[in-house]
Amino acid sequence: MNTEILGIIIVFVLTVALAIPLGKYIARVYRGEKTITDVIFNPIEKILFRFCGINPAEEMGWKQHLKVLLTINFVWFLLSMFVLMCQGWLPLNPDNNPGMTADLAFNTAISFVVNCNLQHYSGETGLSYFGQLFLMFLQFVSAATGLAAAAILFNALKERTTEKLGNFYVYFLKSLTRILLPLSIIVATLLAFNGTPMTFEGKQKMVTLQGESVDVSTGTVAAFTAIKHIGTNGGGFFGANSAHPLENPNYFTNMVELAAQMIVPFAMIFALGFYLNRKKLSLMIFGVMTVGFLLLAVPTVMAEMNANPALTRMGIDTSMGATEGKEVRFGAAASGFWSIATTVISTGSVNSMHDSAMPISGLMQLLAMMVNCFYGGCGVGLLNFYIFIILSVFISGLMVGRTPEFLGKKIEAREMKIAMVIALLHTLLILSGTALSTALPELGASTLNNPGFHGFSEILYEFTSSSANNGSGYEGLGDNNPWWNITTGVVLLLSRFLPIIGPIAIAGILASKKHVPESAGTLKTDTSTFGLMVFAVIFIIAALSFFPALALGPIAEYFSLA
Amino acid sequence: MKTQNKSLFQKELVLEALKQSVIKLNPKSLIKNPIMFTVEIGTAVMLAVCIWILTGEQSQGSFAYNFVIFIVLLFTLLFANFAEAIAEARGKAQADSLRKTREETPAKKIEPVGEIYLDEVIVVPSSTLVKGDVFLCEEGDIIPTDGEIIEGIATIDESAITGESAPVIRESGGDKSSVTGGTKVLSDRIKVRVTTEPGESFLDKMIALVEGASRQKTPNEIALTILLAGFTLIFIIVCVTLKPFADFSKAPITIAAFIALFVCLIPTTIGGLLSAIGIAGMDRALRANVITKSGKAVETAGDIDVLLLDKTGTITIGNRKATHFYPADGVDEKTFIEAAVISSLLDETPEGKSIIELAGVDPKFRAKDSVFIKFTAETRSSGADVAGRRIRKGASDSIKNLVEKAGNPFPKMIQDKVAEVAGNGGTPLVVSENEKVLGVIELQDIIKTGIQERFERLRKMGVKTVMVTGDNPLTARFIAEKAGVDDFIAEAKPEDKMNYIKEEQMRGKLVAMMGDGTNDAPALAQADVGVAMNSGTQAAKEAGNMVDLDNDPTKLIEIVEIGKQLLMTRGTLTTFSIANDVAKYFAIIPALFITAIPALQGLNIMNLHSPESAILSAVIFNAVVIPFLIPLALKGVAYKPIGASALLRRNLLIYGLGGVIVPFIGIKLIDVVVALFI
């Protein structure tokens, strides 16, 4: 078999194999059972809780959970605005990079707090090391927020009737200490040993083969890159993200980074099964997500390996596949695969330029973010999927003549209202943002590098990436100006917190309802039939509503090229 | 009522519905259905566009094309209105025939006069009767309103309500004291106290329900409306934002195309049929001769987990019957049977009668000078004293007691036989003469034929059946196993039913039960679905949320199926409606952009004739699919008890996959026809 394809298959299979035991471990962490990390972290956590005056045994209702979650995030947002705007005179700034403008700081602070990392700046010139360190910290915080929210969901899905859903601070802190920190240390070590820099020194002087002298930016790259993937954040240390040779030096690091971004979302799905003791439910979810993922990844890899037909027609050798915008050390297959992995899982880190990808790949990348729940970001992927489960349960419950119920809880008008608003939100934000930018050409369209269908795709991609909290860019878009900074900032905020609030609210309301035990007439939700139903609902809601927009962008481009 | 209205579309009903579907175009009434209301706005816009073109506008395409779109949209509305109207008309037709029976019924009201309460009878119209009034009914009278018999006994023809021609007996006191307005007294004379206020009798409730006047949206219907409103909103966003997208891509879209896209995408099929499905559900209940107090009760019936059934009359036919005579060793069979007959000749209990029946003796035969010994709780036996013969029959331990007291043995053979009969679910009766055992009579419950299949069907639906009986646990277990019920309550007292229901409900189960007596009322009220027999007491009927006019205890099975059908019809048509969008997208999207972006011809996978024909075909398909589905909406999707997952698979295949494929074929066919005219 083609070694390029074999490479991505091995990474995928290995990641799944590692994610299962990790999921078991995560379930134990959230259940508060004994784990191997107790020896190190138990005393530290105890001191932290005592110092902060938090009683970890105190359980919270869903509203209280959300209050704490939003407050924590708001405090970090304010602090990061301050750091980014004042980094010029704050310590750890060997390259003397200036502070950010208010609108860029607003956009950057939001995008890091919401686990998106839409970067309208380049790390080399836009940030001091203090700024980088602070953003690295935010990558931990935002990932932990998502994981803790998923932990609330886990707790709420248990078979009983309750208002009390555990303690947010415990979930949050344990996500940081027990999951993100150990995994990041492992990945950072692997990267550092493969040549990724890890230093506080400023730019290094280097003489090139031509004899020219250049300044090479370095920094705390290994640590930053590790959490960027483990936390599915995607914010690169350098502007070129993981295409940069110091951020992703070789094929091995490429595969490590690929596995690192997939492993926590995978593990969370398995953790759900272990936590609830419903392994079949996990399998159903993982199955639906994997089928969806493959349907996006396979055409992309094929399109990238087959190269541009226009070039082939000109008689140019395209045996390497479509190489524009790609790193030769990764190749077409791994780059295409990464582009889907990073868009399906809201990472948004890139190892090739998506702007240069084939139209089919662009279509798949867009669809991946429009669906936004095949694996999805740290914790939040499951929350998004939960909304689709609720909708599917409702429709299929009706189809078998029974009032719909999920895991023993009846789904009624109030939950449907919330689920529908959340399902609507993504479509609304992407389409209305894109509509505004196309309707106001002096603000939106004028910043485009490309005219026509591709230009339209660039705008669509920017808003899709923001609304999916993905953070990757089609680039080719002059996006550091007030219009893009503010509009995408607002989209980021809404599309981050409402899709956390909604599912938690539904789960909280359902948890307080009477538990109905399963009977012979209950529709099983852990079967392939139900999986098919969920897939159909996702396809209809998430994919069909974007069909007209996609037809004017990548689909039109595809047909024009063929 | 069962026999009439066999055809779905009777001429006069259709005419009435046609009239109503135009009246229902009034925006005030249409706004209750948000989906169809948005279609009406679209239709109005198209009318404006047509007028605009007539004033000389060139950019919107030909007048004929725009006008046809307008007409098709108008028909989409009319079809949806027609669906609702025909469902209502069918209900109304039934209500009207009911109403006829009670209009201007004269009532013989009894007025207490003076201090000595000499009753005076005055004839008043039935509508003036109020709760607490007493009226008199004699042979040939139509009972003016619902009430309870306080004096007398009568045979009553209830066919006007139940369709059952055999007369029934109603008498004061006990569980069969209630009479229904509209029924006819065939013999005798009764005094009845009015139990309902005017306008609240069963007939009134029934009429109001089937006419849809008091129909409220059920919680499930509300949740579905939210889902559909959500879909409508998504497609509003899709269509509104398409305008700047298209302008940016320099592919301007006409107003007609916009509205066509929007109307095709929103779930008009289910939106147009939703209320018809609800009305038809209650109508189906009524056709099964069940009056529901609300639509919600029908829906809840579909969710039932546990079903409580009385053994007698439901699972077994009436009472137990004698099936065998087993004489003791050394006793002549003839002697034994003769003794058994003598002891039962004056015994009026059904068991006693069945012994005579089994012996083949003329029931009018009477032994000379026989003195009947009544059953008492103390002796727990009955019998007769005839010419010095003291014949007794009773439960084995009471006879054993009697025999052994007199110093006679109680044979082991009899003891074994008694145990054998009891083990087979029968009831053994031991007969003795002059304190000597003669033999054992076996009484058996006769299980209704076909009941096992019905329970099997319920089990497949996921409903647990529970038999309630006064029998001892041994007998109860045997019958339960034989009939195929899942559980039983033996030696049941009225409060046992109540406790069982409460216990199941504590575990989150929904419980249905059927009952007729006053002592059933609390349990009927406690159950999630309580079905009272029409022959039952007023208290039972008030407590339950459904009344079965046929007094058929197995009716609950049908009710459960009707409830499930109602939900399923909604679910499958929703799926079908939304699945249709795939094909409609492939028809309309290329049509919108093909002129400006020829490359998008690649999306025209149906190879439709032209942009105009594609858009027209899509809207026409969208409109005609509604009348095609009206029969399904009214009849309901067939329910098959094959397990939830299998059912989902089946319905997904038919209505999901079918919903994707059918419009591809339909739109293509319509396009072929439309292309002939363009």
Side-chain angles (χ1 to χ4, degrees):
Chain A
M1 196 195 276
N2 185 321
T3 46
E4 279 195 78
I5 294 177
L6 196 65
I8 52 183
I9 292 176
I10 289 173
V11 176
F12 184 77
V13 172
L14 267 182
T15 312
V16 176
L18 288 173
I20 295 172
L22 179 61
K24 201 170 195 172
Y25 165 78
I26 291 175
R28 291 183 72 88
V29 168
Y30 288 137
R31 266 204 294 222
E33 289 167 11
K34 267 190 172 173
T35 59
I36 42 165
T37 45
D38 284 353
V39 196
I40 313 163
F41 293 110
N42 267 356
I44 300 175
E45 285 165 4
K46 208 176 259 175
I47 294 167
L48 279 173
F49 282 134
R50 189 165 301 162
F51 179 73
C52 301
I54 292 166
N55 174 13
E58 184 196 358
E59 296 215 51
M60 302 176 176
W62 64 271
K63 284 180 189 159
Q64 215 177 339
H65 268 294
L66 288 176
K67 215 183 285 169
V68 176
L69 183 151
L70 294 174
T71 312
I72 289 181
N73 278 275
F74 185 65
V75 169
W76 290 120
F77 166 72
L78 290 182
L79 260 176
S80 45
M81 278 287 282
F82 169 77
V83 170
L84 293 174
M85 290 176 71
C86 306
Q87 59 174 343
W89 49 266
L90 285 169
L92 285 176
N93 190 5
D95 297 332
N96 291 315
N97 290 332
M100 285 186 175
T101 58
D103 59 302
L104 181 61
F106 170 77
N107 185 285
T108 308
I110 285 180
S111 80
F112 273 80
V113 165
V114 306
N115 193 267
C116 168
N117 319 354
L118 193 70
Q119 292 165 295
H120 288 173
Y121 64 90
S122 269
E124 295 91 329
T125 53
L127 281 177
S128 71
Y129 286 166
F130 189 75
Q132 293 277 28
L133 276 184
F134 194 79
L135 290 184
M136 182 166 90
F137 177 71
L138 282 187
Q139 306 212 40
F140 275 99
V141 170
S142 68
T145 301
L147 290 176
I152 305 171
L153 177 71
F154 286 8
N155 193 321
L157 291 179
K158 277 196 218 160
E159 271 185 34
R160 40 126 209 219
T161 305
T162 181
E163 300 276 340
K164 299 288 173 199
L165 305 172
N167 184 300
F168 186 82
Y169 298 108
V170 173
Y171 292 150
F172 183 69
L173 187 65
K174 285 197 170 179
S175 304
L176 284 170
T177 54
R178 307 302 181 100
I179 301 165
L180 297 171
L181 199 57
L183 287 173
S184 299
I185 290 171
I186 297 170
V187 173
T189 312
L190 285 173
L191 292 178
F193 276 114
N194 278 278
T196 308
M198 188 64 199
T199 173
F200 277 120
E201 280 170 37
K203 289 190 168 66
Q204 315 262 307
K205 291 256 183 263
M206 189 186 97
V207 181
T208 65
L209 288 177
Q210 283 102 326
E212 286 167 44
S213 160
V214 286
D215 287 338
V216 180
S217 293
T218 60
T220 53
V221 190
F224 198 93
T225 309
I227 183 62
K228 147 182 137 185
H229 285 123
I230 288 295
T232 70
N233 297 277
F237 194 88
F238 301 119
N241 210 305
S242 278
H244 194 288
L246 291 184
E247 204 159 329
N248 191 1
N250 55 38
Y251 192 81
F252 176 72
T253 56
N254 189 51
M255 290 311 171
V256 169
E257 289 179 23
L258 198 48
Q261 59 182 301
M262 293 191 291
I263 194 155
V264 177
F266 284 13
M268 284 305 280
I269 303 164
F270 296 120
L272 173 75
F274 288 118
Y275 187 93
L276 296 175
N277 216 355
R278 285 178 184 273
K279 282 168 206 140
K280 272 186 81 186
L281 183 69
S282 273
L283 279 183
M284 184 280 285
I285 298 175
F286 190 76
V288 171
M289 290 179 168
T290 304
V291 168
F293 172 72
L294 291 178
L295 284 176
L296 296 167
V298 171
T300 305
V301 171
M302 276 165 59
E304 294 304 322
M305 291 181 79
N306 283 338
N308 192 330
L311 288 178
T312 318
R313 276 198 295 272
M314 288 162 73
I316 297 169
D317 174 26
T318 52
S319 55
M320 293 268 291
T323 46
E324 185 196 311
K326 290 191 181 59
E327 299 296 304
V328 180
R329 64 186 185 281
F330 308 139
S335 301
F337 187 77
W338 176 303
S339 77
I340 294 301
T342 196
T343 43
V344 151
I345 297 161
S346 77
T347 319
S349 66
V350 292
N351 74 347
S352 66
M353 290 303 115
H354 292 186
D355 205 17
S356 303
M358 301 302 298
I360 281 288
S361 313
L363 173 68
M364 295 300 162
Q365 291 154 9
L366 278 165
L367 269 177
M369 293 185 287
M370 286 163 174
V371 169
N372 201 21
C373 68
F374 292 152
Y375 307 134
C378 255
V380 292
L382 265 180
L383 295 184
N384 288 339
F385 198 82
Y386 179 64
I387 291 288
F388 287 112
I389 289 184
I390 295 291
L391 293 179
S392 314
V393 159
F394 183 77
I395 299 176
S396 48
L398 289 186
M399 288 232 280
V400 299
R402 212 180 147 83
T403 299
E405 58 195 50
F406 180 57
L407 301 186
K409 300 299 172 80
K410 284 209 155 48
I411 294 174
E412 289 163 303
R414 195 165 162 215
E415 296 83 71
M416 281 304 291
K417 219 179 276 175
I418 302 171
M420 221 45 229
V421 167
I422 302 304
L424 255 170
L425 182 77
H426 199 46
T427 315
L428 175 73
L429 291 177
I430 294 174
L431 291 182
S432 58
T434 311
L436 275 179
S437 298
T438 47
L440 307 167
E442 64 281 7
L443 292 174
S446 63
T447 56
L448 293 175
N449 280 354
N450 294 280
F453 313 132
H454 197 77
F456 181 74
S457 300
E458 284 173 351
I459 300 178
L460 185 63
Y461 195 102
E462 187 71 7
F463 277 104
T464 310
S465 175
S466 307
S467 186
N469 281 182
N470 184 278
S472 64
Y474 233 23
E475 304 311 332
L477 190 69
D479 52 15
N480 182 13
N481 63 38
W483 168 255
W484 288 111
N485 284 337
I486 294 168
T487 50
T488 54
V490 172
V491 168
L492 285 173
L493 266 185
L494 292 176
S495 64
R496 166 70 170 183
F497 292 109
L498 292 181
I500 288 180
I501 295 170
I504 294 296
I506 295 178
I509 294 169
L510 288 185
S512 62
K513 283 192 186 182
K514 200 157 83 177
H515 180 261
V516 186
E518 267 183 35
S519 75
T522 312
L523 178 71
K524 301 253 185 309
T525 46
D526 51 8
T527 60
S528 52
T529 311
F530 184 74
L532 185 72
M533 186 74 206
V534 181
F535 188 85
V537 168
I538 292 173
F539 177 77
I540 298 260
I541 293 184
L544 272 194
S545 46
F546 297 106
F547 189 59
L550 291 170
L552 289 173
I555 297 179
E557 199 183 342
Y558 168 77
F559 283 117
S560 311
L561 204 62
Chain B
M1 260 171 19
K2 263 183 179 165
T3 48
Q4 65 193 36
N5 293 349
K6 269 192 181 147
S7 134
L8 275 180
F9 302 104
Q10 283 180 322
K11 199 178 159 205
E12 55 274 30
L13 292 188
V14 171
L15 286 178
E16 171 61 22
L18 284 176
K19 202 175 91 191
Q20 280 298 320
S21 43
V22 178
I23 295 171
K24 279 172 188 277
L25 283 178
N26 182 350
K28 264 189 200 158
S29 69
L30 213 59
I31 201 157
K32 282 183 215 143
N33 185 341
I35 299 168
M36 296 321 288
F37 186 70
T38 54
V39 177
E40 184 160 52
I41 294 174
T43 316
V45 172
M46 278 317 294
L47 183 64
V49 171
C50 288
I51 296 167
W52 192 29
I53 294 172
L54 285 180
T55 60
E57 175 61 32
Q58 299 290 319
S59 65
Q60 297 297 325
S62 74
F63 173 77
Y65 164 68
N66 281 281
F67 188 70
V68 171
I69 299 240
F70 162 70
I71 292 295
V72 174
L73 293 187
L74 186 63
F75 269 91
T76 312
L77 283 173
L78 288 174
F79 288 151
N81 286 347
F82 179 77
E84 191 179 301
I86 189 93
E88 283 176 359
R90 272 154 53 87
K92 209 172 270 174
Q94 289 192 323
D96 284 346
S97 70
L98 287 172
R99 201 180 271 135
K100 252 177 231 156
T101 60
R102 53 172 280 121
E103 264 168 14
E104 291 159 32
T105 311
K108 294 175 182 165
K109 193 177 167 194
I110 298 173
E111 287 277 334
V113 180
E115 280 170 31
I116 48 166
Y117 290 94
L118 252 179
D119 290 352
E120 181 189 328
V121 175
I122 45 168
V123 176
V124 297
S126 59
S127 54
T128 61
L129 289 175
V130 294
K131 199 169 173 176
D133 281 353
V134 177
F135 60 85
L136 185 73
C137 272
E138 286 162 312
E139 200 175 315
D141 286 350
I142 302 242
I143 297 174
T145 186
D146 295 357
E148 200 163 1
I149 302 176
I150 52 173
E151 201 184 303
I153 177 168
T155 46
I156 291 170
D157 172 13
E158 289 193 337
S159 60
I161 301 282
T162 64
E164 184 62 55
S165 57
V168 292
I169 291 175
R170 296 280 179 265
E171 62 184 314
S172 63
D175 289 346
K176 302 203 169 197
S177 63
S178 93
V179 291
T180 314
T183 56
K184 192 176 175 185
V185 178
L186 293 178
S187 72
D188 304 291
R189 152 199 168 104
I190 43 173
K191 269 190 194 171
V192 181
R193 189 193 296 119
V194 179
T195 50
T196 53
E197 294 293 350
E200 281 179 11
S201 74
F202 269 155
L203 264 163
D204 293 308
K205 279 184 192 159
M206 204 154 144
I207 291 166
L209 273 170
V210 293
E211 283 186 343
S214 63
R215 210 178 80 85
Q216 282 180 320
K217 279 195 171 172
T218 61
N220 188 280
E221 219 174 336
I222 293 168
L224 182 59
T225 312
I226 292 168
L227 179 84
L228 296 177
F231 274 111
T232 310
L233 265 174
I234 287 183
F235 291 121
I236 288 178
I237 297 167
V238 169
C239 291
V240 169
T241 55
L242 193 57
K243 165 82 177 142
F245 295 177
D247 289 346
F248 178 85
S249 309
K250 298 186 181 59
I253 303 173
T254 60
I255 295 174
F258 257 123
I259 291 180
L261 176 68
F262 174 68
V263 170
C264 284
L265 291 182
I266 60 172
T268 47
T269 314
I270 179 69
L273 295 172
L274 194 56
S275 49
I277 295 170
I279 298 169
M282 299 223 295
D283 192 46
R284 273 199 300 279
L286 189 58
R287 260 155 228 275
N289 276 350
V290 175
I291 301 179
T292 55
K293 291 192 183 165
S294 70
K296 190 178 179 225
V298 180
E299 259 175 34
T300 313
D303 279 349
I304 285 304
D305 302 289
V306 181
L307 183 53
L308 255 61
L309 295 161
D310 278 327
K311 184 197 82 176
T312 310
T314 310
I315 296 167
T316 59
I317 299 171
N319 298 290
R320 55 180 81 107
K321 287 184 167 179
T323 52
H324 276 105
F325 293 116
Y326 301 106
D329 288 337
V331 177
D332 180 36
E333 190 171 0
K334 254 190 192 159
T335 325
F336 168 50
I337 294 176
E338 190 204 352
V341 168
I342 291 170
S343 72
S344 309
L345 275 173
L346 293 169
D347 186 354
E348 285 295 315
T349 62
E351 287 90 347
K353 285 178 183 161
S354 77
I355 291 171
I356 294 171
E357 198 180 305
L358 182 70
V361 182
D362 179 4
K364 283 188 187 129
F365 169 79
R366 287 285 179 273
K368 265 186 275 165
D369 305 326
S370 79
V371 179
F372 181 61
I373 310 294
K374 268 195 175 174
F375 179 90
T376 65
E378 213 172 314
T379 62
R380 293 175 60 226
S381 63
S382 64
D385 288 348
V386 184
R389 297 169 71 188
R390 291 183 303 282
I391 301 171
R392 296 288 180 275
K393 71 168 194 287
S396 76
D397 53 344
S398 64
I399 299 294
K400 185 178 178 186
N401 207 358
L402 189 80
V403 169
E404 284 177 347
K405 224 184 231 170
N408 293 325
F410 191 77
K412 180 156 188 316
M413 174 261 164
I414 293 294
Q415 215 147 8
D416 291 346
K417 203 79 212 165
V418 163
E420 188 193 317
V421 169
N424 286 335
T427 311
L429 282 182
V430 182
V431 179
S432 69
E433 184 180 337
N434 297 340
E435 291 80 42
K436 275 187 200 137
V437 177
L438 290 179
V440 181
I441 306 172
E442 180 178 0
L443 299 175
Q444 276 286 6
D445 273 306
I446 311 296
I447 292 170
K448 283 191 176 173
T449 47
I451 200 86
Q452 287 100 332
E453 288 78 39
R454 295 207 122 187
F455 289 142
E456 186 55 37
R457 199 174 159 90
L458 279 169
R459 190 165 308 115
K460 280 185 185 154
M461 287 180 189
V463 180
K464 175 181 165 191
T465 44
V466 180
M467 180 180 82
V468 183
T469 171
D471 292 340
N472 65 60
L474 205 66
T475 316
R477 178 182 307 280
F478 183 82
I479 296 169
E481 271 171 20
K482 210 164 157 194
V485 292
D486 300 309
D487 197 3
F488 60 88
I489 311 173
E491 288 166 354
K493 294 179 287 295
E495 61 267 28
D496 289 343
K497 269 191 200 177
M498 185 75 177
N499 291 339
Y500 195 91
I501 293 174
K502 276 188 182 161
E503 227 171 82
E504 289 286 352
Q505 283 175 336
M506 284 275 282
R507 277 183 264 154
K509 300 278 174 76
L510 289 178
V511 186
M513 76 161 275
M514 229 166 167
D516 52 5
T518 301
N519 57 15
D520 281 336
L524 278 172
Q526 179 71 32
D528 300 282
V529 174
V531 185
M533 310 260 194
N534 195 39
S535 60
T537 59
Q538 197 61 36
K541 288 205 258 183
E542 288 294 328
N545 42 18
M546 288 187 194
V547 177
D548 176 24
L549 298 173
D550 292 342
N551 310 320
D552 171 10
T554 55
K555 191 60 78 56
L556 262 170
I557 298 172
E558 276 167 58
I559 298 173
V560 170
E561 290 194 2
I562 289 169
K564 286 197 180 289
Q565 260 192 333
L566 180 63
L567 292 182
M568 272 171 59
T569 313
R570 280 195 202 128
T572 50
L573 288 183
T574 304
T575 307
F576 183 83
S577 186
I578 294 167
N580 277 350
D581 279 0
V582 179
K584 289 174 188 167
Y585 259 128
F586 277 98
I588 297 184
I589 293 297
L592 290 180
F593 302 127
I594 235 163
T595 335
I597 311 167
L600 281 178
Q601 178 64 34
L603 274 185
N604 185 8
I605 53 175
M606 279 181 273
N607 203 9
L608 300 178
H609 177 72
S610 68
E612 281 82 14
S613 78
I615 288 172
L616 270 178
S617 309
V619 278
I620 292 175
F621 177 83
N622 191 53
V624 297
V625 77
I626 297 177
F628 267 109
L629 290 174
I630 289 177
L632 185 67
L634 295 188
K635 274 196 211 147
V637 170
Y639 176 77
K640 291 218 162 70
I642 47 176
S645 281
L647 199 60
L648 179 63
R649 217 163 17 242
R650 183 176 176 272
N651 285 338
L652 258 185
L653 199 70
I654 299 176
Y655 298 95
L657 192 63
V660 174
I661 295 169
V662 166
F664 273 108
I665 301 167
I667 291 174
K668 178 68 192 170
L669 287 179
I670 296 171
D671 181 73
V672 171
V673 178
V674 169
L676 300 175
F677 298 95
I678 294 185

